[in-house]
Amino acid sequence: MVDVLITNGPWLIAIAAAFGFLMAWGIGANDVANAMGTSVGSNAITIKQAIIIAMIFEFAGAYLAGGEVTSTIRKGIIDSAYFVDSPELLVYGMISALLAAGIWLVVASALGWPVSTTHSIVGAIVGFAAVGVSADSVAWSKVLGIVGSWIITPAISGFIAFTIFQSVQKLIFNTDNPLENAKRYVPFYMALAGFVMSLVTIKKGLKHVGLHFTNVEAYSLAVVIAILVGIGGMIAIKRLKMSQSADRQTQFGNVEKVFAILMVVTACCMAFAHGSNDVANAIGPLAAVVSVVNSGGEIASKAELVWWILPLGAFGIVMGLAIFGKRVMQTIGKNITHLTPSRGFAAELAAASTVVIASGTGLPISTTQTLVGAVLGVGMARGIAAINIGVVRNIVVSWVVTLPAGAGLSIIFFFMIKGIFS
């Protein structure tokens, strides 16, 4: 059946590229909004500014750090040994997975549901492999790990966010002189943010550019950056002209302004780390199709990226965010709970910390669930009444539906594409 790949090769690659673009578009519309939602929701930046920041940093993350080589089958969810005799099935399957995940992400974004792009593509790949090829070809233990992460990830990030926010309340807001204490403690929060964000960028981003750090080097570099950020923060805050005699409300406002500046920095780092990490959800399956077709049916465990794949993914992400990103931003930033810059900062720092913990321990993680958990944690710190339970319920339902929706759609498309080409 390798003849199918030779005769229809260019067609298969063109279709895969179109669906890969759709998938990247969905990632931009849904996932990038997560990285930016807290900053926009807390009014630290406007939607327009968020889109510009995200365009620059997501594109940089995807293009610089998205990697020259990508694993053809994400996270080792299916076993490629089952496709050696019929490589065309892997090609049809990856094309249908991209289309299925892309459609689901566009639907979810239209409804304002923050779902996991990783889980969408994983569900789609599991679907076609289990039904179209063999149930044994799927690593079910890995799928179980993903289901477990629905509970573990939001719980970890929620707990960290709750703790950070409580500490900000105790050390700064609930004191007699919030402004003085902000000047004293905020540099430490800045240093902590510098540490976590540089660690995310080093661990998630730079390893693709060919900069490999050992753990010791990575942590040492992050500590140096943290100290520099802390010192810079101290100097910057000392320079701020704020009247000490102002009433508490004005002082709170001034403290929030300081956190708003921090939010912009964390948003940039989140966008860079996200671009480098999640662009693979769109380009991994596409790279698999291109490599199988171009090699005449050989299935490699890693695929070299053809020059046009990364820009296609990066451009798709940026387009999706600009055209459709508003709705999910609204859900994360405004609809779950009322965010101020200090709360948004606590949520974003917690999410980034969870990403670092997860990449260190190999937990399968979804940026979306991390952020939603963190926003919930901040809401909980103000009491359950501060949380919009209806919105949270919809979000959780959309997470649970993501795997079966991706799987169901990809099974249908798989048999359609197989029917057309064979």
Side-chain angles (χ1 to χ4, degrees):
M1 285 299 282
V2 176
D3 323 344
V4 179
L5 295 182
I6 294 164
T7 46
N8 298 320
W11 276 111
L12 289 165
I13 289 179
I15 296 168
F19 295 166
F21 183 80
L22 175 74
M23 174 73 189
W25 201 93
I27 291 175
N30 203 297
D31 240 24
V32 179
N34 298 325
M36 291 292 151
T38 41
S39 309
V40 174
S42 61
N43 296 327
I45 50 178
T46 62
I47 289 224
K48 239 192 204 142
Q49 289 166 328
I51 289 173
I52 292 166
I53 290 176
M55 279 181 174
I56 297 167
F57 285 92
E58 287 278 339
F59 195 89
Y63 196 69
L64 294 174
E68 288 95 51
V69 176
T70 180
S71 307
T72 41
I73 298 167
R74 288 285 280 158
K75 320 265 189 228
I77 288 282
I78 53 175
D79 181 358
S80 56
Y82 285 82
F83 298 91
V84 171
D85 298 331
S86 46
E88 74 282 356
L89 291 184
L90 183 65
V91 171
Y92 301 157
M94 287 302 182
I95 291 176
S96 50
L98 281 172
L99 179 58
I103 288 177
W104 170 243
L105 285 175
V106 171
V107 170
S109 306
L111 293 166
W113 292 346
V115 295
S116 163
T117 50
T118 310
H119 296 176
S120 309
I121 192 75
V122 164
I125 290 175
V126 167
F128 89 79
V131 177
V133 184
S134 153
D136 301 336
S137 66
V138 177
W140 292 105
S141 58
K142 296 230 164 137
V143 179
L144 274 177
I146 288 174
V147 175
S149 75
W150 291 342
I151 302 159
I152 298 164
T153 318
I156 297 173
S157 67
F159 173 72
I160 298 174
F162 182 88
T163 315
I164 294 173
F165 181 65
Q166 285 289 33
S167 72
V168 172
Q169 287 292 58
K170 279 211 170 53
L171 296 174
I172 298 173
F173 286 105
N174 297 349
T175 57
D176 296 333
N177 195 335
L179 212 53
E180 263 313 293
N181 287 325
K183 289 186 171 175
R184 185 174 304 143
Y185 294 116
V186 167
F188 289 106
Y189 288 110
M190 287 178 140
L192 179 62
F195 176 72
V196 172
M197 289 295 171
S198 50
L199 213 51
V200 169
T201 313
I202 293 163
K203 283 216 173 278
K204 284 271 181 210
L206 300 181
K207 63 170 186 242
H208 300 302
V209 198
L211 291 173
H212 293 280
F213 294 97
T214 61
N215 271 343
V216 178
E217 287 169 349
Y219 281 96
S220 318
L221 185 59
V223 168
V224 172
I225 292 171
I227 293 168
L228 292 174
V229 170
I231 294 169
M234 255 165 75
I235 297 166
I237 292 173
K238 283 225 168 75
R239 285 211 169 142
L240 287 178
K241 296 276 175 278
M242 299 178 191
S243 113
Q244 296 290 357
S245 56
D247 61 357
R248 284 180 75 78
Q249 225 37 53
T250 319
Q251 287 203 26
F252 284 161
N254 286 334
V255 174
E256 291 291 2
K257 275 186 199 140
V258 179
F259 278 105
I261 299 165
L262 271 180
M263 289 287 300
V264 178
V265 180
T266 52
C268 295
C269 296
M270 283 297 273
F272 183 84
H274 179 268
S276 64
N277 195 37
D278 276 22
V279 72
N281 289 332
I283 63 174
L286 172 56
V289 171
V290 175
S291 101
V292 172
V293 170
N294 286 346
S295 65
E298 225 179 292
I299 298 173
S301 64
K302 297 269 187 198
E304 285 286 330
L305 286 191
V306 191
W307 67 269
W308 53 268
I309 293 183
L310 255 181
L312 177 103
F315 186 63
I317 285 180
V318 167
M319 290 295 293
L321 171 76
I323 297 167
F324 230 43
K326 262 191 192 145
R327 298 176 177 190
V328 178
M329 278 190 198
Q330 179 80 20
T331 304
I332 294 249
K334 300 244 199 253
N335 297 357
I336 298 177
T337 186
H338 175 66
L339 288 177
T340 59
S342 57
R343 292 170 197 158
F345 168 72
E348 208 146 288
L349 184 54
S353 310
T354 313
V355 172
V356 171
I357 294 167
S359 62
T361 52
L363 269 177
I365 191 175
S366 138
T367 6
T368 311
Q369 290 163 356
T370 324
L371 255 159
V372 171
V375 173
L376 277 176
V378 172
M380 291 295 279
R382 293 164 51 230
I384 197 95
I387 294 173
N388 186 334
I389 299 294
V391 172
V392 177
R393 189 187 55 228
N394 288 350
I395 291 174
V396 173
V397 169
S398 71
W399 289 353
V400 176
V401 175
T402 295
L403 278 174
L409 286 170
S410 93
I411 291 164
I412 298 167
F413 297 142
F414 177 68
F415 286 111
M416 281 165 62
I417 292 170
K418 193 175 162 188
I420 293 168
F421 283 101
S422 49

